[in-house]
Amino acid sequence: IKALQNLAATKRKQHKYPVVGITGSNGKTIVKEWLSFLLEPYFEIIKSPRSYNSQIGVALSVWEMSKKHNLAIFEAGISMQNEMQNLEEIIKPEIGIFTNIGSAHNEGFRSLKQKITEKLRLFKKSKVLVFCKDYQEISEELSIFLMAVNPKIKLLGWSSTAVGPNCVETIQNSFGTSVTLYYSGESFAFDLPFNDHASVENAIHCAYTALYMHFEGHLEIDIPEFLERFKQLKPVAMRLELKQGSNNN
């Protein structure tokens, strides 16, 4: 496994285009798939296949990077301490997304605080981190751990409860959810075909990541066209699904 990871890390060093790294307890695959769909018209994208976010999966994902791409989106998942260090060396994300924090894989960590710190290791050399400030535990560990190891990182924290430069307003309606978010002194509005909190949260992560890339000059994005694409987002097939079988099984 270590040999495979070293190979992938060497491959990663050969490519200079932006790399987005995604971690968190839930939503990694959905954010990766949705962000890829939203940015499809503007980039040649390489992304993790399915949920390839493990010690082996990340190496296999990064191995597929090539010169024909100009953006990479990879997810990273860990189930115990000291795993993220290996994944950071392979992915080395310039842009980070921390989806959320929950109880998944709690047994591999001494505490929630330790689990957050371990996940944050993915971003120790990133230029920016997109996250939701409403998760107080994440915000606390950012100031304690990440700012200490990466003081130059830009923290792009958004909130749906607090007033601030990156605040978000959501209104549920018959067709889904209308979202208005604020970034760089401007407001951006889009509609989602979902009402559930998790989907709305995942979509907002995607929106802030893309807006950062646009305003930081990674590539020109047609903002009205981009916002219109949110209406077309679809649920992503996940590993845990219930399907109705014959004979009531």
Side-chain angles (χ1 to χ4, degrees):
I1 292 172
K2 193 62 194 167
L4 179 67
Q5 291 175 340
N6 289 343
L7 272 171
T10 303
K11 185 75 172 276
R12 164 70 179 93
K13 288 174 188 170
Q14 295 168 3
H15 302 285
K16 303 301 181 190
Y17 46 81
V19 174
V20 179
I22 306 168
T23 195
S25 293
N26 305 105
K28 295 183 290 294
T29 302
I30 294 170
V31 169
K32 178 203 68 190
E33 293 294 336
W34 283 0
L35 185 61
S36 174
F37 169 78
L38 292 164
L39 296 177
E40 215 169 29
Y42 319 106
F43 291 95
E44 288 293 329
I45 300 171
I46 176 69
K47 61 178 180 173
S48 311
R50 300 191 289 280
S51 295
Y52 277 36
N53 59 34
S54 66
Q55 296 291 301
I56 293 173
V58 166
L60 294 175
S61 301
V62 171
W63 184 254
E64 297 300 319
M65 292 178 80
S66 74
K67 290 177 181 174
K68 72 178 182 183
H69 304 112
N70 56 10
L71 176 68
I73 307 174
F74 299 125
E75 52 176 299
I78 56 171
S79 53
M80 59 183 72
Q81 56 182 316
N82 301 322
E83 285 188 328
M84 192 59 91
Q85 180 67 33
N86 299 332
L87 303 187
E88 189 280 330
E89 289 170 8
I90 303 170
I91 299 175
K92 291 207 178 303
E94 181 180 331
I95 300 162
I97 304 174
F98 199 137
T99 57
N100 53 43
I101 197 69
S103 58
H105 301 297
N106 269 357
E107 64 280 358
F109 304 94
R110 288 196 306 273
S111 63
L112 186 68
K113 176 182 160 80
Q114 187 198 36
K115 183 164 71 167
I116 295 169
T117 300
E118 288 294 322
K119 288 180 183 291
L120 286 174
R121 292 185 192 281
L122 180 62
F123 312 117
K124 66 181 189 180
K125 291 177 183 165
S126 300
K127 288 185 178 177
V128 64
L129 176 61
V130 176
F131 68 103
C132 177
K133 288 192 289 190
D134 299 337
Y135 292 96
Q136 190 178 347
E137 302 93 343
I138 295 177
S139 296
E140 287 173 2
E141 288 310 304
L142 282 171
S143 57
I144 296 169
F145 171 74
L146 191 62
M147 294 303 289
V149 298
N150 187 358
K152 291 183 179 177
I153 192 169
K154 175 178 179 172
L155 297 179
L156 209 172
W158 60 269
S159 172
S160 58
T161 59
V163 177
N166 300 322
C167 62
V168 179
E169 298 164 4
T170 60
I171 300 171
Q172 292 194 350
N173 45 49
S174 56
F175 62 81
T177 305
S178 292
V179 179
T180 303
L181 55 82
Y182 296 85
Y183 180 70
S184 244
E186 296 183 51
S187 66
F188 302 89
F190 55 89
D191 295 317
L192 294 170
F194 307 101
N195 270 324
D196 64 289
H197 173 77
S199 295
V200 173
E201 180 181 81
N202 291 333
I204 293 169
H205 285 317
C206 293
Y208 271 111
T209 304
L211 289 170
Y212 166 82
M213 294 173 72
H214 174 76
F215 284 103
E216 293 299 317
H218 285 291
L219 197 74
E220 194 74 20
I221 292 171
D222 184 318
I223 295 294
E225 179 189 70
F226 166 73
L227 295 174
E228 194 66 22
R229 288 178 71 80
F230 278 89
K231 290 179 184 172
Q232 303 169 46
L233 292 177
K234 293 180 173 61
V236 176
M238 301 304 290
R239 289 160 296 180
L240 299 174
E241 288 186 284
L242 284 175
K243 306 224 182 209
Q244 193 64 39
S246 54
N247 299 320
N248 298 317
N249 64 32

